[in-house]
Amino acid sequence: MKKKESDLTKAILKKKLKNAVRSDNGSKITRFSLALVSGMVPFFGGALEGIANTWSEIENERFRNVVQQWLEVQDAEILKLTDTIEEIMSRLDLENPIILARVQSGAYLHFLKKSIHQIQHNHQEEKRKMARHLLINAAQHRFCTDELVNLFIDWIDRYNLGHFAVLAEIHHAKKITRQKIWHNLNGPKVSENSHEADLFKLVLHDLSLGQLIRQHRTVDAKGNFIVESKKKKKIRANESAKRLKSAFDNEKTYELTALGEKFTVYIYHQKR
């Protein structure tokens, strides 16, 4: 069964490469995707640098030999990586010299390799989509620095789908209470001493600690946070003393931080 699966994968990849050579329609995207994937495989080492800039030499005997060796070493996993990268590249205007220079830059290839490595070890489709959106946006736009893009890739790997579900709720609502978040994701409340409530509090704590979300704060015209009056603080302290804070509090609202907003734009939106 394993040999049949491997043979089938080789046949599909050979057909893909053959079509890329013969076809003018979209061939550059497929060729470039194949070249990029070759750089993801440790077997090829630095082969990427010699391939990514030479689409017109794809019929070169040496490259065909490299691809043949690649096909013999890798199977369905490489096919999946090729399709993922081709999917990303097909959404980019590779005729635009600025975008082309970006995707061939050392920084972008680092993002690509790092993301693909994570995809190889994480089979969750939702995270694959996030990585795809991030790589597309990182190629087309410069909403933030490369250091932040690199951090965002780490966050996709670090946080689980429960974190992203909460993050998405806050992103869509802008300001939302814990109770509303729980209701939207899970329905009726559970008891305060349940493991579900503990896990929910942990997720919110993780996102707050990571500076992705915070409780809503009032700001002035210049964007500075306004300090709460002593009177309000005293009232709030008295209220807290009377009762323990609920995991499903329906008074205080949560919002994304500026950093959290940039992160969600990169992973959830495909901007053109």
Side-chain angles (χ1 to χ4, degrees):
M1 178 65 78
K2 178 66 176 178
K3 187 177 185 304
K4 289 183 179 180
E5 180 182 332
S6 180
D7 290 342
L8 177 61
T9 303
K10 291 177 184 179
I12 294 173
L13 276 172
K14 287 179 181 178
K15 184 177 180 181
K16 184 185 286 288
L17 180 58
K18 187 176 180 181
N19 290 339
V21 174
R22 293 184 175 179
S23 171
D24 291 329
N25 182 25
S27 61
K28 282 189 176 182
I29 293 174
T30 301
R31 294 173 190 177
F32 193 47
S33 299
L34 287 166
L36 288 173
V37 171
S38 71
M40 306 299 111
V41 184
F43 175 81
F44 284 94
L48 179 61
E49 288 75 9
I51 296 173
N53 295 315
T54 57
W55 296 346
S56 61
E57 298 177 12
I58 198 167
E59 292 181 289
N60 179 278
E61 184 65 28
R62 181 182 177 187
F63 181 64
R64 286 207 300 269
N65 290 338
V66 171
V67 172
Q68 182 60 41
Q69 294 175 41
W70 166 37
L71 293 175
E72 291 174 357
V73 173
Q74 306 293 333
D75 49 20
E77 185 175 324
I78 297 304
L79 177 61
K80 188 174 183 179
L81 296 184
T82 305
D83 288 340
T84 298
I85 296 178
E86 188 171 350
E87 185 179 6
I88 293 167
M89 293 301 149
S90 68
R91 286 166 169 75
L92 299 176
D93 180 11
L94 296 179
E95 299 299 325
N96 184 323
I98 296 177
I99 294 178
L100 181 58
R102 173 63 167 166
V103 298
Q104 290 181 323
S105 69
Y108 189 81
L109 291 176
H110 169 73
F111 300 152
L112 190 61
K113 291 178 181 180
K114 189 172 181 179
S115 296
I116 292 302
H117 176 73
Q118 291 177 0
I119 290 173
Q120 284 181 282
H121 294 85
N122 192 318
H123 303 293
Q124 294 173 313
E125 180 63 18
E126 293 87 344
K127 286 198 173 187
R128 190 190 74 85
K129 289 180 180 179
M130 292 176 196
R132 185 193 70 192
H133 286 151
L134 184 145
L135 290 169
I136 291 171
N137 285 320
Q140 296 184 125
H141 309 288
R142 301 303 293 271
F143 296 137
C144 59
T145 64
D146 286 347
E147 287 76 11
L148 276 183
V149 174
N150 196 52
L151 179 63
F152 293 166
I153 296 173
D154 289 337
W155 282 351
I156 292 176
D157 186 51
R158 179 188 308 166
Y159 295 113
N160 61 42
L161 296 184
H163 291 94
F164 288 112
V166 170
L167 198 64
E169 286 296 321
I170 299 174
H171 172 63
H172 293 309
K174 304 305 178 185
K175 290 193 295 182
I176 187 171
T177 65
R178 288 184 175 216
Q179 185 178 109
K180 186 63 175 176
I181 294 172
W182 176 269
H183 176 77
N184 290 347
L185 296 177
N186 303 292
K189 287 196 302 182
V190 294
S191 62
E192 294 284 348
N193 64 345
S194 65
H195 75 275
E196 293 93 344
D198 290 338
L199 181 59
F200 183 55
K201 287 188 289 186
L202 178 62
V203 168
L204 288 166
H205 172 75
D206 289 343
L207 294 174
S208 297
L209 194 63
Q211 297 298 309
L212 286 165
I213 67 172
R214 62 166 168 256
Q215 288 183 355
H216 172 67
R217 297 177 186 173
T218 304
V219 296
D220 61 21
K222 294 182 179 180
N224 299 312
F225 294 117
I226 297 176
V227 179
E228 192 177 54
S229 68
K230 292 183 178 180
K231 183 177 180 180
K232 286 185 177 180
K233 282 185 177 180
K234 186 175 181 180
I235 293 174
R236 197 179 297 279
N238 290 335
E239 290 177 346
S240 298
K242 293 177 183 178
R243 67 181 190 281
L244 292 174
K245 185 176 180 179
S246 170
F248 314 104
D249 178 73
N250 198 35
E251 295 179 3
K252 295 181 180 179
T253 58
Y254 283 80
E255 62 187 8
L256 295 178
T257 63
L259 187 58
E261 189 67 45
K262 284 187 178 293
F263 179 53
T264 55
V265 165
Y266 264 75
I267 66 173
Y268 287 128
H269 301 287
Q270 185 179 306
K271 289 181 174 284
R272 289 191 177 275

